[in-house]
Amino acid sequence: MPGADGTPIRSLVAELGDVTTPEQFGQKLKELKEGNGLTFEAIEKRGGIPSSTASSTIGRRTLPSERFVRSYVRACGVDDEGVEAWVRTRERLLRQNRPAVQAEEQVAPVEEVPARTRRSWLPRSRARRTIAVSLLVGVTATAATTTVVLMRGNRCGTWDPALMSVESRECVGVTDGLGAPGVFGPESARVLELIAQENERATAGPYVTIAFLAPLGSGQGSLTGDRSVHQLEGLLTAQRIANDRQDRPNIRLVLANMGSDESRWRHAVDHLKTMTTAPDRLVAVVGMGLSQQESVQAARTLSAADIPMISDVITADGFDATGTIDRGRPIRGLLRVAPSTTSQLVAIRDYLRHRPLGKRAVLVWTDETPQGSSDLYASALKEAFLKQFADLLGDKDQRRQIYFDPRGNPILQDVCEREIVLYAGRQTFLPKFLQELRNRPCPDKPITVITGSDATAQPRDTPELNNPKVPTSLIYVPLADPGYLRSPENRGSPNYTEFEKRFGEKFKIKDLDSGWAIMSHDALLTAITAVKKAYNQKLAFKEPDKLPDNHDVGNSLGSFKGAKNGIPGASGFFTFDFTTGSRVEPGSKVVHITPSGG
């Protein structure tokens, strides 16, 4: 069968007999495309398979589905006889490699889905004008309607190999939201749908992709709660503002769910690594999850792939470009827009100089997440307490420390001897901890709990903080405090008020109270600013048709260091330390919740 230029189509059928592994099969699929002078975008136009899906599928170590093979090979110009040869080779490999090979189609029930979700495997604006002929089934000569079916189960009800259902009934992996707004749970469905709409607008012109990597599920073990939705809202606001400017390139945003406990970080990260080339053109990753070991592993993996990163809510000391958080190798390319744990406690010490609340403290700490992995946020907070509050804890051999397992209740019988509790743990466990303080042997004695920025999620109207008979107060430094940011005291208030105005067009202003929407906005703004700066460099070198890649953006991010080269963020104007990549700018004001609620 000749091609459009009269050149015979290469089918590689004669070489299939030498294929013995799924990896070799994928390589032959790649050779088939390249041997016929095709691109993944051409495959998409011919066969309806999204170019990103085709690229990632043939690069995996598992066999693709039979439907994929038929569609892909036909799109490469192979005739029916050749197509069947490819399918037979796949079947042979499936038999030979069981159970080591997990075929994409295996144990996947098929069911009809509503018309509203039928674009889930057709990304970007082409979804509305691409007919996925190879995915249509149930078509007969007399059929009055066409039924589109999707493999459900292990692909979250989509054909997208970047998504995967796991035992906890969560959907993990990467999506741009098109056709599948509910994959990460009903709480985030609305904002995913809005992101999908913005992505369609972005891909109508030249664009690059930025990914948001985070625990987006709400399953058991989640440490984020509603705050992950707030992050998505902040991201969309930054994306809309950037694309409204109509200067090249547009910004496409994809979401990469690590799982509610981050245990599926590798599935998300491995797919992101395949997206740096066209058509995705991934140039940076923002978010990066929480200060725990899984996030560190994800950061080092992305760093090795030369993908720059900007974290939004990571605060643990050492979880930066130095990589000293776990005494591992440096994490080149990592920047952080959140104030560090130490900078937060320094601000609290300055605050306490004018408010003597006591001279004796007890340290209550944990170093585990609910699933048993290392909680680097809590560990870093503990070490910072030991350095910044050593005088309140007493001599080294007399310091009061109480370890607690987050799966049980802490034993607090010794706190009556102290006026201050230094709490090195997550807000998730703080309500239980405050209840235990209420039940202490001396409930009428005033006590102050000092902790880190994660306490922002603790409601100010918590009963344990508003009971005069049990005078318990809470002190922490939030990642971003809207009350302070919009006040005249903040020199950067115009930047914040403009952001708040745009945020309010789609979402509730109250969602800004956690600070996470503000920080995710600033992380994406940092990446976007680097993209625009890198593209301006292309223009300076008279290369207007070349879009910046991950290397260009990484170089651009490296310039945001020093007093004159910063980011006018919603959380303030900030730059980055030359060595660590951490934020250089005073943190938010200290929040002190008193027993009267003031």
Side-chain angles (χ1 to χ4, degrees), residues 69-100:
V69 173
R70 289 184 181 277
S71 301
Y72 180 93
V73 174
R74 280 202 181 97
C76 290
V78 178
D79 59 21
D80 290 344
E81 184 178 350
V83 169
E84 294 306 318
W86 279 89
V87 171
R88 287 194 299 271
T89 301
R90 175 193 174 276
E91 292 174 349
R92 171 173 59 81
L93 294 174
L94 186 60
R95 290 192 301 270
Q96 291 175 351
N97 290 276
R98 286 184 187 273

PDB file of all heavy atoms in Angstrom, residues 69-100:
ATOM      1  N   VAL A  69      -3.736  -1.234  19.410  1.00  0.00           N
ATOM      2  CA  VAL A  69      -2.856  -1.751  18.351  1.00  0.00           C
ATOM      3  C   VAL A  69      -3.523  -1.612  16.994  1.00  0.00           C
ATOM      4  O   VAL A  69      -2.903  -1.145  16.026  1.00  0.00           O
ATOM      5  CB  VAL A  69      -2.486  -3.225  18.633  1.00  0.00           C
ATOM      6  CG1 VAL A  69      -1.715  -3.816  17.445  1.00  0.00           C
ATOM      7  CG2 VAL A  69      -1.642  -3.323  19.903  1.00  0.00           C
ATOM      8  N   ARG A  70      -4.790  -2.012  16.888  1.00  0.00           N
ATOM      9  CA  ARG A  70      -5.493  -1.917  15.601  1.00  0.00           C
ATOM     10  C   ARG A  70      -5.547  -0.464  15.126  1.00  0.00           C
ATOM     11  O   ARG A  70      -5.271  -0.164  13.953  1.00  0.00           O
ATOM     12  CB  ARG A  70      -6.905  -2.480  15.725  1.00  0.00           C
ATOM     13  CG  ARG A  70      -6.964  -4.001  15.887  1.00  0.00           C
ATOM     14  CD  ARG A  70      -8.409  -4.489  15.905  1.00  0.00           C
ATOM     15  NE  ARG A  70      -8.485  -5.935  16.086  1.00  0.00           N
ATOM     16  CZ  ARG A  70      -8.361  -6.814  15.102  1.00  0.00           C
ATOM     17  NH1 ARG A  70      -8.177  -6.384  13.855  1.00  0.00           N
ATOM     18  NH2 ARG A  70      -8.440  -8.116  15.341  1.00  0.00           N
ATOM     19  N   SER A  71      -5.917   0.450  16.023  1.00  0.00           N
ATOM     20  CA  SER A  71      -6.066   1.853  15.634  1.00  0.00           C
ATOM     21  C   SER A  71      -4.727   2.459  15.247  1.00  0.00           C
ATOM     22  O   SER A  71      -4.602   3.168  14.238  1.00  0.00           O
ATOM     23  CB  SER A  71      -6.688   2.646  16.782  1.00  0.00           C
ATOM     24  OG  SER A  71      -7.949   2.122  17.130  1.00  0.00           O
ATOM     25  N   TYR A  72      -3.709   2.194  16.045  1.00  0.00           N
ATOM     26  CA  TYR A  72      -2.386   2.776  15.819  1.00  0.00           C
ATOM     27  C   TYR A  72      -1.781   2.261  14.507  1.00  0.00           C
ATOM     28  O   TYR A  72      -1.275   3.047  13.687  1.00  0.00           O
ATOM     29  CB  TYR A  72      -1.493   2.416  17.003  1.00  0.00           C
ATOM     30  CG  TYR A  72      -0.079   2.951  16.920  1.00  0.00           C
ATOM     31  CD1 TYR A  72       0.263   4.164  17.500  1.00  0.00           C
ATOM     32  CD2 TYR A  72       0.927   2.225  16.277  1.00  0.00           C
ATOM     33  CE1 TYR A  72       1.566   4.644  17.445  1.00  0.00           C
ATOM     34  CE2 TYR A  72       2.230   2.699  16.210  1.00  0.00           C
ATOM     35  CZ  TYR A  72       2.541   3.915  16.792  1.00  0.00           C
ATOM     36  OH  TYR A  72       3.836   4.381  16.724  1.00  0.00           O
ATOM     37  N   VAL A  73      -1.828   0.942  14.304  1.00  0.00           N
ATOM     38  CA  VAL A  73      -1.210   0.356  13.107  1.00  0.00           C
ATOM     39  C   VAL A  73      -1.937   0.822  11.850  1.00  0.00           C
ATOM     40  O   VAL A  73      -1.306   1.128  10.829  1.00  0.00           O
ATOM     41  CB  VAL A  73      -1.188  -1.183  13.219  1.00  0.00           C
ATOM     42  CG1 VAL A  73      -0.693  -1.812  11.931  1.00  0.00           C
ATOM     43  CG2 VAL A  73      -0.301  -1.618  14.388  1.00  0.00           C
ATOM     44  N   ARG A  74      -3.262   0.878  11.893  1.00  0.00           N
ATOM     45  CA  ARG A  74      -4.014   1.385  10.729  1.00  0.00           C
ATOM     46  C   ARG A  74      -3.638   2.824  10.442  1.00  0.00           C
ATOM     47  O   ARG A  74      -3.523   3.232   9.275  1.00  0.00           O
ATOM     48  CB  ARG A  74      -5.515   1.279  10.990  1.00  0.00           C
ATOM     49  CG  ARG A  74      -6.088  -0.115  10.776  1.00  0.00           C
ATOM     50  CD  ARG A  74      -7.584  -0.060  10.521  1.00  0.00           C
ATOM     51  NE  ARG A  74      -8.130  -1.403  10.349  1.00  0.00           N
ATOM     52  CZ  ARG A  74      -8.707  -2.098  11.307  1.00  0.00           C
ATOM     53  NH1 ARG A  74      -8.826  -1.562  12.519  1.00  0.00           N
ATOM     54  NH2 ARG A  74      -9.178  -3.307  11.085  1.00  0.00           N
ATOM     55  N   ALA A  75      -3.471   3.630  11.530  1.00  0.00           N
ATOM     56  CA  ALA A  75      -3.111   5.032  11.338  1.00  0.00           C
ATOM     57  C   ALA A  75      -1.742   5.176  10.686  1.00  0.00           C
ATOM     58  O   ALA A  75      -1.449   6.194  10.050  1.00  0.00           O
ATOM     59  CB  ALA A  75      -3.136   5.771  12.678  1.00  0.00           C
ATOM     60  N   CYS A  76      -0.903   4.149  10.827  1.00  0.00           N
ATOM     61  CA  CYS A  76       0.412   4.155  10.183  1.00  0.00           C
ATOM     62  C   CYS A  76       0.345   3.695   8.727  1.00  0.00           C
ATOM     63  O   CYS A  76       1.380   3.596   8.048  1.00  0.00           O
ATOM     64  CB  CYS A  76       1.384   3.266  10.961  1.00  0.00           C
ATOM     65  SG  CYS A  76       1.855   3.940  12.576  1.00  0.00           S
ATOM     66  N   GLY A  77      -0.861   3.370   8.236  1.00  0.00           N
ATOM     67  CA  GLY A  77      -1.050   3.025   6.830  1.00  0.00           C
ATOM     68  C   GLY A  77      -0.984   1.546   6.514  1.00  0.00           C
ATOM     69  O   GLY A  77      -0.992   1.160   5.340  1.00  0.00           O
ATOM     70  N   VAL A  78      -0.932   0.692   7.541  1.00  0.00           N
ATOM     71  CA  VAL A  78      -0.840  -0.753   7.313  1.00  0.00           C
ATOM     72  C   VAL A  78      -2.205  -1.288   6.873  1.00  0.00           C
ATOM     73  O   VAL A  78      -3.247  -0.890   7.420  1.00  0.00           O
ATOM     74  CB  VAL A  78      -0.365  -1.470   8.590  1.00  0.00           C
ATOM     75  CG1 VAL A  78      -0.314  -2.969   8.395  1.00  0.00           C
ATOM     76  CG2 VAL A  78       1.011  -0.923   9.012  1.00  0.00           C
ATOM     77  N   ASP A  79      -2.214  -2.220   5.903  1.00  0.00           N
ATOM     78  CA  ASP A  79      -3.481  -2.760   5.414  1.00  0.00           C
ATOM     79  C   ASP A  79      -4.051  -3.770   6.407  1.00  0.00           C
ATOM     80  O   ASP A  79      -3.432  -4.110   7.423  1.00  0.00           O
ATOM     81  CB  ASP A  79      -3.309  -3.388   4.029  1.00  0.00           C
ATOM     82  CG  ASP A  79      -2.282  -4.525   4.028  1.00  0.00           C
ATOM     83  OD1 ASP A  79      -2.000  -5.098   5.098  1.00  0.00           O
ATOM     84  OD2 ASP A  79      -1.764  -4.842   2.945  1.00  0.00           O
ATOM     85  N   ASP A  80      -5.265  -4.284   6.100  1.00  0.00           N
ATOM     86  CA  ASP A  80      -5.976  -5.164   7.030  1.00  0.00           C
ATOM     87  C   ASP A  80      -5.185  -6.426   7.356  1.00  0.00           C
ATOM     88  O   ASP A  80      -5.148  -6.882   8.510  1.00  0.00           O
ATOM     89  CB  ASP A  80      -7.344  -5.544   6.457  1.00  0.00           C
ATOM     90  CG  ASP A  80      -8.303  -4.369   6.434  1.00  0.00           C
ATOM     91  OD1 ASP A  80      -8.008  -3.370   7.120  1.00  0.00           O
ATOM     92  OD2 ASP A  80      -9.334  -4.455   5.736  1.00  0.00           O
ATOM     93  N   GLU A  81      -4.541  -7.014   6.343  1.00  0.00           N
ATOM     94  CA  GLU A  81      -3.768  -8.224   6.579  1.00  0.00           C
ATOM     95  C   GLU A  81      -2.606  -7.959   7.529  1.00  0.00           C
ATOM     96  O   GLU A  81      -2.312  -8.750   8.431  1.00  0.00           O
ATOM     97  CB  GLU A  81      -3.247  -8.775   5.246  1.00  0.00           C
ATOM     98  CG  GLU A  81      -2.503 -10.097   5.396  1.00  0.00           C
ATOM     99  CD  GLU A  81      -2.049 -10.654   4.055  1.00  0.00           C
ATOM    100  OE1 GLU A  81      -2.476 -10.099   3.008  1.00  0.00           O
ATOM    101  OE2 GLU A  81      -1.279 -11.622   4.043  1.00  0.00           O
ATOM    102  N   GLY A  82      -1.947  -6.818   7.332  1.00  0.00           N
ATOM    103  CA  GLY A  82      -0.839  -6.456   8.214  1.00  0.00           C
ATOM    104  C   GLY A  82      -1.304  -6.166   9.629  1.00  0.00           C
ATOM    105  O   GLY A  82      -0.632  -6.520  10.602  1.00  0.00           O
ATOM    106  N   VAL A  83      -2.466  -5.537   9.735  1.00  0.00           N
ATOM    107  CA  VAL A  83      -3.030  -5.243  11.060  1.00  0.00           C
ATOM    108  C   VAL A  83      -3.232  -6.534  11.840  1.00  0.00           C
ATOM    109  O   VAL A  83      -2.888  -6.636  13.027  1.00  0.00           O
ATOM    110  CB  VAL A  83      -4.346  -4.456  10.933  1.00  0.00           C
ATOM    111  CG1 VAL A  83      -5.062  -4.396  12.282  1.00  0.00           C
ATOM    112  CG2 VAL A  83      -4.092  -3.051  10.403  1.00  0.00           C
ATOM    113  N   GLU A  84      -3.799  -7.550  11.173  1.00  0.00           N
ATOM    114  CA  GLU A  84      -4.044  -8.822  11.854  1.00  0.00           C
ATOM    115  C   GLU A  84      -2.739  -9.478  12.288  1.00  0.00           C
ATOM    116  O   GLU A  84      -2.690 -10.145  13.330  1.00  0.00           O
ATOM    117  CB  GLU A  84      -4.839  -9.759  10.934  1.00  0.00           C
ATOM    118  CG  GLU A  84      -6.246  -9.278  10.623  1.00  0.00           C
ATOM    119  CD  GLU A  84      -7.050  -8.998  11.889  1.00  0.00           C
ATOM    120  OE1 GLU A  84      -6.960  -9.803  12.842  1.00  0.00           O
ATOM    121  OE2 GLU A  84      -7.753  -7.972  11.922  1.00  0.00           O
ATOM    122  N   ALA A  85      -1.678  -9.295  11.527  1.00  0.00           N
ATOM    123  CA  ALA A  85      -0.378  -9.840  11.911  1.00  0.00           C
ATOM    124  C   ALA A  85       0.123  -9.185  13.197  1.00  0.00           C
ATOM    125  O   ALA A  85       0.682  -9.847  14.085  1.00  0.00           O
ATOM    126  CB  ALA A  85       0.632  -9.651  10.783  1.00  0.00           C
ATOM    127  N   TRP A  86      -0.061  -7.890  13.305  1.00  0.00           N
ATOM    128  CA  TRP A  86       0.318  -7.197  14.532  1.00  0.00           C
ATOM    129  C   TRP A  86      -0.503  -7.679  15.722  1.00  0.00           C
ATOM    130  O   TRP A  86       0.029  -7.889  16.817  1.00  0.00           O
ATOM    131  CB  TRP A  86       0.137  -5.683  14.353  1.00  0.00           C
ATOM    132  CG  TRP A  86       1.273  -5.015  13.633  1.00  0.00           C
ATOM    133  CD1 TRP A  86       1.402  -4.839  12.290  1.00  0.00           C
ATOM    134  CD2 TRP A  86       2.440  -4.446  14.222  1.00  0.00           C
ATOM    135  NE1 TRP A  86       2.570  -4.193  11.995  1.00  0.00           N
ATOM    136  CE2 TRP A  86       3.238  -3.930  13.169  1.00  0.00           C
ATOM    137  CE3 TRP A  86       2.886  -4.311  15.528  1.00  0.00           C
ATOM    138  CZ2 TRP A  86       4.448  -3.300  13.403  1.00  0.00           C
ATOM    139  CZ3 TRP A  86       4.108  -3.680  15.767  1.00  0.00           C
ATOM    140  CH2 TRP A  86       4.876  -3.184  14.719  1.00  0.00           C
ATOM    141  N   VAL A  87      -1.796  -7.862  15.515  1.00  0.00           N
ATOM    142  CA  VAL A  87      -2.675  -8.313  16.603  1.00  0.00           C
ATOM    143  C   VAL A  87      -2.285  -9.724  17.048  1.00  0.00           C
ATOM    144  O   VAL A  87      -2.257 -10.033  18.247  1.00  0.00           O
ATOM    145  CB  VAL A  87      -4.151  -8.258  16.157  1.00  0.00           C
ATOM    146  CG1 VAL A  87      -5.058  -8.942  17.192  1.00  0.00           C
ATOM    147  CG2 VAL A  87      -4.574  -6.809  15.946  1.00  0.00           C
ATOM    148  N   ARG A  88      -1.984 -10.601  16.081  1.00  0.00           N
ATOM    149  CA  ARG A  88      -1.572 -11.969  16.438  1.00  0.00           C
ATOM    150  C   ARG A  88      -0.268 -11.958  17.232  1.00  0.00           C
ATOM    151  O   ARG A  88      -0.093 -12.761  18.164  1.00  0.00           O
ATOM    152  CB  ARG A  88      -1.429 -12.824  15.176  1.00  0.00           C
ATOM    153  CG  ARG A  88      -2.740 -13.209  14.524  1.00  0.00           C
ATOM    154  CD  ARG A  88      -2.541 -14.320  13.500  1.00  0.00           C
ATOM    155  NE  ARG A  88      -1.632 -13.914  12.419  1.00  0.00           N
ATOM    156  CZ  ARG A  88      -2.020 -13.318  11.298  1.00  0.00           C
ATOM    157  NH1 ARG A  88      -3.331 -13.057  11.113  1.00  0.00           N
ATOM    158  NH2 ARG A  88      -1.154 -12.991  10.359  1.00  0.00           N
ATOM    159  N   THR A  89       0.642 -11.067  16.877  1.00  0.00           N
ATOM    160  CA  THR A  89       1.897 -10.961  17.626  1.00  0.00           C
ATOM    161  C   THR A  89       1.625 -10.525  19.065  1.00  0.00           C
ATOM    162  O   THR A  89       2.214 -11.057  20.010  1.00  0.00           O
ATOM    163  CB  THR A  89       2.840  -9.951  16.958  1.00  0.00           C
ATOM    164  OG1 THR A  89       3.098 -10.370  15.622  1.00  0.00           O
ATOM    165  CG2 THR A  89       4.149  -9.840  17.718  1.00  0.00           C
ATOM    166  N   ARG A  90       0.722  -9.579  19.214  1.00  0.00           N
ATOM    167  CA  ARG A  90       0.358  -9.145  20.569  1.00  0.00           C
ATOM    168  C   ARG A  90      -0.212 -10.309  21.372  1.00  0.00           C
ATOM    169  O   ARG A  90       0.139 -10.507  22.544  1.00  0.00           O
ATOM    170  CB  ARG A  90      -0.657  -8.000  20.495  1.00  0.00           C
ATOM    171  CG  ARG A  90      -1.169  -7.570  21.869  1.00  0.00           C
ATOM    172  CD  ARG A  90      -2.391  -6.677  21.760  1.00  0.00           C
ATOM    173  NE  ARG A  90      -2.910  -6.412  23.097  1.00  0.00           N
ATOM    174  CZ  ARG A  90      -3.726  -7.211  23.755  1.00  0.00           C
ATOM    175  NH1 ARG A  90      -4.114  -8.361  23.203  1.00  0.00           N
ATOM    176  NH2 ARG A  90      -4.151  -6.901  24.965  1.00  0.00           N
ATOM    177  N   GLU A  91      -1.122 -11.094  20.758  1.00  0.00           N
ATOM    178  CA  GLU A  91      -1.728 -12.221  21.455  1.00  0.00           C
ATOM    179  C   GLU A  91      -0.674 -13.258  21.855  1.00  0.00           C
ATOM    180  O   GLU A  91      -0.726 -13.840  22.939  1.00  0.00           O
ATOM    181  CB  GLU A  91      -2.800 -12.859  20.571  1.00  0.00           C
ATOM    182  CG  GLU A  91      -4.019 -11.959  20.364  1.00  0.00           C
ATOM    183  CD  GLU A  91      -4.999 -12.553  19.376  1.00  0.00           C
ATOM    184  OE1 GLU A  91      -4.631 -13.552  18.707  1.00  0.00           O
ATOM    185  OE2 GLU A  91      -6.122 -12.023  19.255  1.00  0.00           O
ATOM    186  N   ARG A  92       0.310 -13.474  20.954  1.00  0.00           N
ATOM    187  CA  ARG A  92       1.383 -14.421  21.265  1.00  0.00           C
ATOM    188  C   ARG A  92       2.193 -13.960  22.473  1.00  0.00           C
ATOM    189  O   ARG A  92       2.494 -14.734  23.385  1.00  0.00           O
ATOM    190  CB  ARG A  92       2.293 -14.583  20.051  1.00  0.00           C
ATOM    191  CG  ARG A  92       3.573 -15.385  20.334  1.00  0.00           C
ATOM    192  CD  ARG A  92       4.353 -15.672  19.072  1.00  0.00           C
ATOM    193  NE  ARG A  92       4.762 -14.484  18.347  1.00  0.00           N
ATOM    194  CZ  ARG A  92       5.829 -13.740  18.667  1.00  0.00           C
ATOM    195  NH1 ARG A  92       6.561 -14.076  19.719  1.00  0.00           N
ATOM    196  NH2 ARG A  92       6.152 -12.699  17.935  1.00  0.00           N
ATOM    197  N   LEU A  93       2.527 -12.689  22.501  1.00  0.00           N
ATOM    198  CA  LEU A  93       3.291 -12.147  23.619  1.00  0.00           C
ATOM    199  C   LEU A  93       2.498 -12.194  24.914  1.00  0.00           C
ATOM    200  O   LEU A  93       3.048 -12.454  25.991  1.00  0.00           O
ATOM    201  CB  LEU A  93       3.708 -10.706  23.319  1.00  0.00           C
ATOM    202  CG  LEU A  93       4.703 -10.513  22.172  1.00  0.00           C
ATOM    203  CD1 LEU A  93       4.915  -9.037  21.905  1.00  0.00           C
ATOM    204  CD2 LEU A  93       6.020 -11.194  22.485  1.00  0.00           C
ATOM    205  N   LEU A  94       1.205 -11.979  24.807  1.00  0.00           N
ATOM    206  CA  LEU A  94       0.356 -12.019  25.996  1.00  0.00           C
ATOM    207  C   LEU A  94       0.363 -13.417  26.601  1.00  0.00           C
ATOM    208  O   LEU A  94       0.464 -13.579  27.825  1.00  0.00           O
ATOM    209  CB  LEU A  94      -1.072 -11.596  25.629  1.00  0.00           C
ATOM    210  CG  LEU A  94      -2.063 -11.450  26.784  1.00  0.00           C
ATOM    211  CD1 LEU A  94      -1.583 -10.404  27.776  1.00  0.00           C
ATOM    212  CD2 LEU A  94      -3.441 -11.079  26.259  1.00  0.00           C
ATOM    213  N   ARG A  95       0.298 -14.433  25.747  1.00  0.00           N
ATOM    214  CA  ARG A  95       0.318 -15.819  26.244  1.00  0.00           C
ATOM    215  C   ARG A  95       1.682 -16.179  26.809  1.00  0.00           C
ATOM    216  O   ARG A  95       1.795 -16.802  27.859  1.00  0.00           O
ATOM    217  CB  ARG A  95      -0.041 -16.789  25.108  1.00  0.00           C
ATOM    218  CG  ARG A  95      -1.487 -16.735  24.669  1.00  0.00           C
ATOM    219  CD  ARG A  95      -1.808 -17.928  23.765  1.00  0.00           C
ATOM    220  NE  ARG A  95      -0.955 -17.962  22.579  1.00  0.00           N
ATOM    221  CZ  ARG A  95      -1.247 -17.367  21.433  1.00  0.00           C
ATOM    222  NH1 ARG A  95      -2.385 -16.683  21.311  1.00  0.00           N
ATOM    223  NH2 ARG A  95      -0.431 -17.442  20.393  1.00  0.00           N
ATOM    224  N   GLN A  96       2.733 -15.753  26.124  1.00  0.00           N
ATOM    225  CA  GLN A  96       4.086 -16.125  26.531  1.00  0.00           C
ATOM    226  C   GLN A  96       4.514 -15.453  27.829  1.00  0.00           C
ATOM    227  O   GLN A  96       5.293 -16.021  28.598  1.00  0.00           O
ATOM    228  CB  GLN A  96       5.084 -15.758  25.425  1.00  0.00           C
ATOM    229  CG  GLN A  96       4.937 -16.611  24.169  1.00  0.00           C
ATOM    230  CD  GLN A  96       5.860 -16.124  23.065  1.00  0.00           C
ATOM    231  OE1 GLN A  96       6.480 -15.067  23.159  1.00  0.00           O
ATOM    232  NE2 GLN A  96       5.946 -16.904  21.994  1.00  0.00           N
ATOM    233  N   ASN A  97       4.019 -14.253  28.087  1.00  0.00           N
ATOM    234  CA  ASN A  97       4.504 -13.488  29.221  1.00  0.00           C
ATOM    235  C   ASN A  97       3.569 -13.470  30.425  1.00  0.00           C
ATOM    236  O   ASN A  97       3.846 -12.791  31.402  1.00  0.00           O
ATOM    237  CB  ASN A  97       4.781 -12.038  28.784  1.00  0.00           C
ATOM    238  CG  ASN A  97       5.977 -11.947  27.864  1.00  0.00           C
ATOM    239  OD1 ASN A  97       7.110 -11.885  28.302  1.00  0.00           O
ATOM    240  ND2 ASN A  97       5.709 -11.951  26.552  1.00  0.00           N
ATOM    241  N   ARG A  98       2.435 -14.126  30.360  1.00  0.00           N
ATOM    242  CA  ARG A  98       1.586 -14.210  31.551  1.00  0.00           C
ATOM    243  C   ARG A  98       2.323 -14.958  32.650  1.00  0.00           C
ATOM    244  O   ARG A  98       3.009 -15.945  32.386  1.00  0.00           O
ATOM    245  CB  ARG A  98       0.279 -14.956  31.221  1.00  0.00           C
ATOM    246  CG  ARG A  98      -0.707 -14.146  30.392  1.00  0.00           C
ATOM    247  CD  ARG A  98      -1.975 -14.965  30.221  1.00  0.00           C
ATOM    248  NE  ARG A  98      -2.914 -14.363  29.331  1.00  0.00           N
ATOM    249  CZ  ARG A  98      -3.838 -13.472  29.692  1.00  0.00           C
ATOM    250  NH1 ARG A  98      -3.913 -13.106  30.928  1.00  0.00           N
ATOM    251  NH2 ARG A  98      -4.665 -12.968  28.811  1.00  0.00           N
ATOM    252  N   PRO A  99       2.172 -14.567  33.950  1.00  0.00           N
ATOM    253  CA  PRO A  99       1.376 -13.437  34.391  1.00  0.00           C
ATOM    254  C   PRO A  99       2.187 -12.162  34.505  1.00  0.00           C
ATOM    255  O   PRO A  99       1.718 -11.184  35.062  1.00  0.00           O
ATOM    256  CB  PRO A  99       0.899 -13.887  35.768  1.00  0.00           C
ATOM    257  CG  PRO A  99       2.054 -14.684  36.279  1.00  0.00           C
ATOM    258  CD  PRO A  99       2.656 -15.367  35.084  1.00  0.00           C
ATOM    259  N   ALA A 100       3.466 -12.201  34.013  1.00  0.00           N
ATOM    260  CA  ALA A 100       4.319 -11.029  34.193  1.00  0.00           C
ATOM    261  C   ALA A 100       3.776  -9.816  33.460  1.00  0.00           C
ATOM    262  O   ALA A 100       3.931  -8.693  33.893  1.00  0.00           O
ATOM    263  CB  ALA A 100       5.728 -11.337  33.694  1.00  0.00           C
TER     264      ALA A 100
END
